Amino acid sequence: TSFNHLALSLDPYLAERGYLLDERSLVLSLAPLSPYPLPKGFTLVPLDQWLVAYCALTGRQEPTKTLHSYILQNIVGECGFALIHLDGELVSCGLAVFEADLVGLFDIYTHPQRRNRGFAREVVEGLLTWAYQRGAKRSYLQVVSDNKAALHMYNQLGFREIYHYWYRIGA
């Protein structure tokens, strides 16, 4: 189709003009879904509480009046905002958007000092169970292609690549 032709010819054009490859991302899919036991410390919270926790974990600016906050407040589908606590300490978070029979997973994040201990997996499994209970049959997510730890976890859960994309930025 003409759109695909344009997209394929645009990338070399931008590269020739000095636009740098910024970030290569993968879109992964999982089907069919099945429930997992809910992990200890897994909770679902309202958006405003989740945003505060997300900002605390990631070190991003306060959650009020940010583009991220605005986008999340205007999602059409049903959302699950998840946190994982260990001994009262926030260690991981993530969110899911459920619509029809599909759930998308976003903003899966674990505190850097708590990584490689299974907390992100617990967030994902908890959110997939939440979505399964609502009728979701398939899931998708996006991940930066050089995030080897996340890719390993998602592959273990059965996610498979369906396509990839990248951005170019001006030099």
Side-chain angles (χ1 to χ4, degrees), residues 141-153:
L141 57 85
Q142 297 167 217
V143 61
V144 177
S145 65
D146 64 359
N147 188 339
K148 302 299 181 202
L151 286 170
H152 179 72
M153 175 194 62

PDB file of all heavy atoms in Angstrom, residues 141-153:
ATOM      1  N   LEU A 141       1.848  -5.439  24.956  1.00  0.00           N
ATOM      2  CA  LEU A 141       2.651  -4.439  25.649  1.00  0.00           C
ATOM      3  C   LEU A 141       3.755  -3.971  24.716  1.00  0.00           C
ATOM      4  O   LEU A 141       4.029  -4.596  23.696  1.00  0.00           O
ATOM      5  CB  LEU A 141       3.238  -5.002  26.948  1.00  0.00           C
ATOM      6  CG  LEU A 141       4.107  -6.252  26.849  1.00  0.00           C
ATOM      7  CD1 LEU A 141       5.552  -5.924  26.523  1.00  0.00           C
ATOM      8  CD2 LEU A 141       4.030  -7.016  28.152  1.00  0.00           C
ATOM      9  N   GLN A 142       4.367  -2.866  25.077  1.00  0.00           N
ATOM     10  CA  GLN A 142       5.507  -2.333  24.341  1.00  0.00           C
ATOM     11  C   GLN A 142       6.707  -2.353  25.273  1.00  0.00           C
ATOM     12  O   GLN A 142       6.573  -2.096  26.468  1.00  0.00           O
ATOM     13  CB  GLN A 142       5.221  -0.900  23.903  1.00  0.00           C
ATOM     14  CG  GLN A 142       4.068  -0.790  22.946  1.00  0.00           C
ATOM     15  CD  GLN A 142       3.593   0.637  22.776  1.00  0.00           C
ATOM     16  OE1 GLN A 142       2.426   0.841  22.648  1.00  0.00           O
ATOM     17  NE2 GLN A 142       4.470   1.606  22.777  1.00  0.00           N
ATOM     18  N   VAL A 143       7.867  -2.661  24.722  1.00  0.00           N
ATOM     19  CA  VAL A 143       9.088  -2.704  25.522  1.00  0.00           C
ATOM     20  C   VAL A 143      10.250  -2.241  24.652  1.00  0.00           C
ATOM     21  O   VAL A 143      10.299  -2.537  23.459  1.00  0.00           O
ATOM     22  CB  VAL A 143       9.330  -4.126  26.099  1.00  0.00           C
ATOM     23  CG1 VAL A 143       9.493  -5.162  25.013  1.00  0.00           C
ATOM     24  CG2 VAL A 143      10.514  -4.157  27.050  1.00  0.00           C
ATOM     25  N   VAL A 144      11.170  -1.503  25.252  1.00  0.00           N
ATOM     26  CA  VAL A 144      12.369  -1.068  24.540  1.00  0.00           C
ATOM     27  C   VAL A 144      13.201  -2.312  24.243  1.00  0.00           C
ATOM     28  O   VAL A 144      13.407  -3.163  25.106  1.00  0.00           O
ATOM     29  CB  VAL A 144      13.153  -0.046  25.385  1.00  0.00           C
ATOM     30  CG1 VAL A 144      14.442   0.354  24.689  1.00  0.00           C
ATOM     31  CG2 VAL A 144      12.294   1.172  25.661  1.00  0.00           C
ATOM     32  N   SER A 145      13.676  -2.419  23.014  1.00  0.00           N
ATOM     33  CA  SER A 145      14.309  -3.664  22.558  1.00  0.00           C
ATOM     34  C   SER A 145      15.608  -4.001  23.281  1.00  0.00           C
ATOM     35  O   SER A 145      16.020  -5.158  23.288  1.00  0.00           O
ATOM     36  CB  SER A 145      14.557  -3.611  21.045  1.00  0.00           C
ATOM     37  OG  SER A 145      15.485  -2.599  20.733  1.00  0.00           O
ATOM     38  N   ASP A 146      16.267  -3.031  23.915  1.00  0.00           N
ATOM     39  CA  ASP A 146      17.506  -3.359  24.621  1.00  0.00           C
ATOM     40  C   ASP A 146      17.286  -3.642  26.112  1.00  0.00           C
ATOM     41  O   ASP A 146      18.247  -3.814  26.864  1.00  0.00           O
ATOM     42  CB  ASP A 146      18.577  -2.289  24.414  1.00  0.00           C
ATOM     43  CG  ASP A 146      18.200  -0.936  24.992  1.00  0.00           C
ATOM     44  OD1 ASP A 146      17.096  -0.791  25.550  1.00  0.00           O
ATOM     45  OD2 ASP A 146      19.020  -0.006  24.885  1.00  0.00           O
ATOM     46  N   ASN A 147      16.042  -3.742  26.541  1.00  0.00           N
ATOM     47  CA  ASN A 147      15.732  -4.082  27.926  1.00  0.00           C
ATOM     48  C   ASN A 147      15.705  -5.614  28.056  1.00  0.00           C
ATOM     49  O   ASN A 147      14.653  -6.246  28.048  1.00  0.00           O
ATOM     50  CB  ASN A 147      14.394  -3.465  28.338  1.00  0.00           C
ATOM     51  CG  ASN A 147      14.120  -3.616  29.812  1.00  0.00           C
ATOM     52  OD1 ASN A 147      14.690  -4.475  30.486  1.00  0.00           O
ATOM     53  ND2 ASN A 147      13.220  -2.793  30.317  1.00  0.00           N
ATOM     54  N   LYS A 148      16.897  -6.188  28.146  1.00  0.00           N
ATOM     55  CA  LYS A 148      17.049  -7.654  28.127  1.00  0.00           C
ATOM     56  C   LYS A 148      16.314  -8.340  29.276  1.00  0.00           C
ATOM     57  O   LYS A 148      15.725  -9.401  29.098  1.00  0.00           O
ATOM     58  CB  LYS A 148      18.530  -8.049  28.139  1.00  0.00           C
ATOM     59  CG  LYS A 148      19.325  -7.483  26.983  1.00  0.00           C
ATOM     60  CD  LYS A 148      18.804  -7.949  25.658  1.00  0.00           C
ATOM     61  CE  LYS A 148      19.655  -7.382  24.531  1.00  0.00           C
ATOM     62  NZ  LYS A 148      18.993  -7.338  23.266  1.00  0.00           N
ATOM     63  N   ALA A 149      16.360  -7.753  30.475  1.00  0.00           N
ATOM     64  CA  ALA A 149      15.695  -8.383  31.625  1.00  0.00           C
ATOM     65  C   ALA A 149      14.189  -8.447  31.407  1.00  0.00           C
ATOM     66  O   ALA A 149      13.560  -9.484  31.653  1.00  0.00           O
ATOM     67  CB  ALA A 149      16.025  -7.620  32.906  1.00  0.00           C
ATOM     68  N   ALA A 150      13.602  -7.355  30.915  1.00  0.00           N
ATOM     69  CA  ALA A 150      12.164  -7.350  30.667  1.00  0.00           C
ATOM     70  C   ALA A 150      11.803  -8.331  29.555  1.00  0.00           C
ATOM     71  O   ALA A 150      10.825  -9.077  29.668  1.00  0.00           O
ATOM     72  CB  ALA A 150      11.694  -5.941  30.307  1.00  0.00           C
ATOM     73  N   LEU A 151      12.588  -8.341  28.479  1.00  0.00           N
ATOM     74  CA  LEU A 151      12.309  -9.273  27.376  1.00  0.00           C
ATOM     75  C   LEU A 151      12.373 -10.723  27.843  1.00  0.00           C
ATOM     76  O   LEU A 151      11.543 -11.551  27.450  1.00  0.00           O
ATOM     77  CB  LEU A 151      13.282  -9.042  26.228  1.00  0.00           C
ATOM     78  CG  LEU A 151      13.027  -7.784  25.410  1.00  0.00           C
ATOM     79  CD1 LEU A 151      14.193  -7.521  24.464  1.00  0.00           C
ATOM     80  CD2 LEU A 151      11.727  -7.893  24.653  1.00  0.00           C
ATOM     81  N   HIS A 152      13.331 -11.032  28.695  1.00  0.00           N
ATOM     82  CA  HIS A 152      13.445 -12.388  29.235  1.00  0.00           C
ATOM     83  C   HIS A 152      12.177 -12.749  30.024  1.00  0.00           C
ATOM     84  O   HIS A 152      11.609 -13.832  29.843  1.00  0.00           O
ATOM     85  CB  HIS A 152      14.691 -12.500  30.109  1.00  0.00           C
ATOM     86  CG  HIS A 152      14.870 -13.844  30.722  1.00  0.00           C
ATOM     87  ND1 HIS A 152      15.237 -14.952  29.993  1.00  0.00           N
ATOM     88  CD2 HIS A 152      14.711 -14.268  32.003  1.00  0.00           C
ATOM     89  CE1 HIS A 152      15.304 -15.998  30.792  1.00  0.00           C
ATOM     90  NE2 HIS A 152      14.986 -15.612  32.018  1.00  0.00           N
ATOM     91  N   MET A 153      11.741 -11.849  30.890  1.00  0.00           N
ATOM     92  CA  MET A 153      10.540 -12.093  31.678  1.00  0.00           C
ATOM     93  C   MET A 153       9.319 -12.273  30.779  1.00  0.00           C
ATOM     94  O   MET A 153       8.542 -13.216  30.947  1.00  0.00           O
ATOM     95  CB  MET A 153      10.295 -10.951  32.660  1.00  0.00           C
ATOM     96  CG  MET A 153       8.979 -11.112  33.428  1.00  0.00           C
ATOM     97  SD  MET A 153       8.427  -9.637  34.304  1.00  0.00           S
ATOM     98  CE  MET A 153       8.175  -8.455  33.004  1.00  0.00           C
TER      99      MET A 153
END
